[in-house]
Amino acid sequence: MRISELSRSSGVATATIKYYLREGLLHAGELTAATQAQYDDSHLDRLRLIRALLGPGRLSIAEIRGVLAAVDDPPESPNEMLGRASESLEPQTGGERSRSDAVGEEYRQQATAIVDELGWRVAANTKVLDDLAQALTAIDQAGLALIPGGVLAYARQLHGLAVAEVATVPMDSPEAAVRQAVLGTILIEPLLLALRRLALQDAAGRRFDGTDAPLA
Amino acid sequence: MRISELSRSSGVATATIKYYLREGLLHAGELTAATQAQYDDSHLDRLRLIRALLGPGRLSIAEIRGVLAAVDDPPESPNEMLGRASESLEPQTGGERSRSDAVGEEYRQQATAIVDELGWRVAANTKVLDDLAQALTAIDQAGLALIPGGVLAYARQLHGLAVAEVATVPMDSPEAAVRQAVLGTILIEPLLLALRRLALQDAAGRRFDGTDAPLA
């Protein structure tokens, strides 16, 4: 199909498609004349993935480039492909609040020790260990009291959910797998945090006001 | 004590203390002369709270003002005080990714219906319901497949943790309660998100590479 038809089928404006082509997010069509190219279903699939990552996923162009690189140059295993795609994502853990401080080696070791104790196998160089170290630093500096079982108690609950989440990833195509894995990683985060704050409201009401008193 | 001693005891520079006084975050000392004031332990307590909120908590001055207003003008119930303090916090759910879109009424109703189905009692006007509606919107727009049990499955896991978290809040003083409740709300978020991403790595490894293969 020509670019005008690709635009109609995908609902993406021609100018936007051209922008994706220039940015290398979308692979070139097959040239049929000096100024005309043919596009196919692979372009439609790719456009759908880009739109989902940019739209509901709110990834930056740089992040999308990283995700697509993992799809286009798939490593040996699907796990490695999903891992590379995920590592392209900026941490959204706590927004700006968790970004700027340097992480001490002590907390980096504590993060690794926690993962070891859980028996989790994660990429040795994953930047998520830095995010964990950062979170541990702030908790320690604030002198925050943790729940019984501490960090491990949180980890075990989240692992059960993670196993169920990974089971939702389809393996029909690298695009479909990356789409579900990357969007799942990102879009479930605000869901979890909103549900947690609501759960805290309910739990506080039950503890401090008794179950029958109306909340303010 | 004089401001110089308050500075020594708290480790906060005199200029910074004066800034907090000007901003109304710290209550004035008792004037003993035209240009001299006496400070006491209440000022030390307050400085510790401000430092924890600004430092590890990374709250903005505006957020701190809201939190301190709840401490200074405590409503009838501790639950209401903690609720007001928490409502002063900007949502950090997903950082910039969850900020800009308008939330449709349909998703707002869906959010309320979920909370109702869970039997949770939350403040009717809490802005966290908008955060939840926002998360539901993005998930729906992305066509993301959820785990079995859907949103309710996440909610039930988080509620168990929330009950344990609320139990850690001390009731010795409004400052101590707010400190633990507010910092707990904020500082556990990046912890949860980092642990979840690590759990996803482990779960993906187990599903896609078999339990014995090393991760890349």
Side-chain angles (χ1 to χ4, degrees):
Chain A
M1 66 190 105
R2 291 164 61 170
I3 195 165
S4 55
E5 199 185 333
L6 180 63
S7 171
R8 265 196 306 279
S9 302
S10 63
V12 179
T14 306
T16 308
I17 294 177
K18 287 183 176 164
Y19 169 68
Y20 296 156
L21 286 165
R22 278 199 308 279
E23 289 287 320
L25 300 181
L26 186 66
H27 46 295
E30 198 185 338
L31 277 187
T32 53
T35 60
Q36 214 167 76
Q38 283 291 319
Y39 300 91
D40 57 28
D41 282 352
S42 73
H43 295 89
L44 259 182
D45 280 354
R46 176 58 58 104
L47 277 178
R48 275 195 208 108
L49 178 57
I50 294 171
R51 298 307 282 179
L53 296 175
L54 265 181
R58 306 226 185 165
L59 267 67
S60 66
I61 294 286
E63 289 174 310
I64 291 179
R65 205 186 299 284
V67 169
L68 296 179
V71 178
D72 288 334
D73 181 19
E76 290 150 40
S77 77
N79 181 47
E80 214 179 314
M81 180 187 72
L82 296 177
R84 275 204 211 157
S86 299
E87 288 290 314
S88 309
L89 305 174
E90 286 299 314
Q92 290 291 305
T93 52
E96 286 155 23
R97 282 188 178 128
S98 63
R99 295 260 170 97
S100 60
D101 282 0
V103 174
E105 188 48 38
E106 168 195 358
Y107 292 103
R108 190 66 162 70
Q109 284 174 10
Q110 207 178 311
T112 308
I114 286 168
V115 169
D116 286 348
E117 180 158 353
L118 289 161
W120 291 359
R121 291 171 316 124
V122 303
N125 58 349
T126 178
K127 62 188 179 188
V128 189
L129 280 173
D130 289 326
D131 298 343
L132 177 57
Q134 186 95 62
L136 295 170
T137 307
I139 287 168
D140 195 32
Q141 284 173 354
L144 192 74
L146 289 180
I147 62 174
V151 173
L152 298 179
Y154 288 103
R156 294 201 171 101
Q157 296 269 354
L158 291 166
H159 194 270
L161 293 168
V163 168
E165 286 177 13
V166 166
T168 66
V169 174
M171 294 312 286
D172 339 356
S173 73
E175 262 96 354
V178 160
R179 192 185 137 89
Q180 174 72 13
V182 166
L183 290 179
T185 298
I186 287 177
L187 298 183
I188 298 298
E189 294 186 348
L191 177 76
L192 280 179
L193 299 192
L195 287 172
R196 173 173 176 265
R197 287 205 185 179
L198 292 168
L200 285 170
Q201 282 193 24
D202 180 70
R206 285 173 202 276
R207 173 168 172 206
F208 295 120
D209 276 355
T211 44
D212 294 316
L215 283 186
Chain B
M1 66 190 104
R2 290 163 63 168
I3 196 166
S4 55
E5 199 186 332
L6 180 63
S7 171
R8 265 196 306 280
S9 302
S10 64
V12 179
T14 305
T16 308
I17 294 176
K18 286 182 177 164
Y19 169 68
Y20 295 157
L21 286 165
R22 278 200 309 277
E23 289 287 319
L25 300 181
L26 186 66
H27 46 295
E30 198 186 336
L31 277 186
T32 52
T35 60
Q36 214 167 76
Q38 282 291 319
Y39 300 91
D40 57 29
D41 283 350
S42 73
H43 295 89
L44 258 180
D45 280 354
R46 175 58 59 103
L47 277 178
R48 275 195 207 106
L49 178 57
I50 294 171
R51 298 307 281 179
L53 296 175
L54 265 181
R58 305 226 187 164
L59 267 68
S60 66
I61 294 286
E63 289 174 310
I64 292 179
R65 206 185 298 282
V67 169
L68 296 179
V71 178
D72 286 335
D73 182 19
E76 290 150 39
S77 78
N79 181 47
E80 215 179 315
M81 181 188 70
L82 296 176
R84 275 203 210 159
S86 299
E87 288 289 315
S88 310
L89 305 174
E90 285 300 313
Q92 291 291 304
T93 53
E96 286 157 21
R97 283 191 176 125
S98 63
R99 294 259 171 98
S100 60
D101 282 1
V103 174
E105 188 48 38
E106 168 195 357
Y107 293 103
R108 190 66 160 70
Q109 284 173 10
Q110 209 178 311
T112 307
I114 286 168
V115 169
D116 285 347
E117 179 156 355
L118 289 161
W120 291 359
R121 291 172 315 126
V122 303
N125 57 349
T126 178
K127 61 189 179 188
V128 189
L129 280 173
D130 289 326
D131 298 342
L132 178 57
Q134 186 95 62
L136 295 171
T137 307
I139 287 168
D140 195 32
Q141 284 173 354
L144 192 75
L146 289 179
I147 62 174
V151 172
L152 299 179
Y154 288 103
R156 294 201 170 100
Q157 297 270 353
L158 291 166
H159 194 269
L161 293 168
V163 169
E165 286 176 13
V166 166
T168 66
V169 175
M171 294 310 287
D172 337 357
S173 72
E175 262 96 353
V178 160
R179 191 184 137 91
Q180 173 72 15
V182 166
L183 290 178
T185 298
I186 288 177
L187 298 183
I188 297 299
E189 293 186 349
L191 177 77
L192 280 179
L193 298 190
L195 287 172
R196 173 172 175 267
R197 288 205 185 180
L198 292 168
L200 285 169
Q201 282 193 24
D202 179 70
R206 287 173 201 275
R207 174 170 170 202
F208 296 120
D209 276 354
T211 43
D212 295 317
L215 284 185

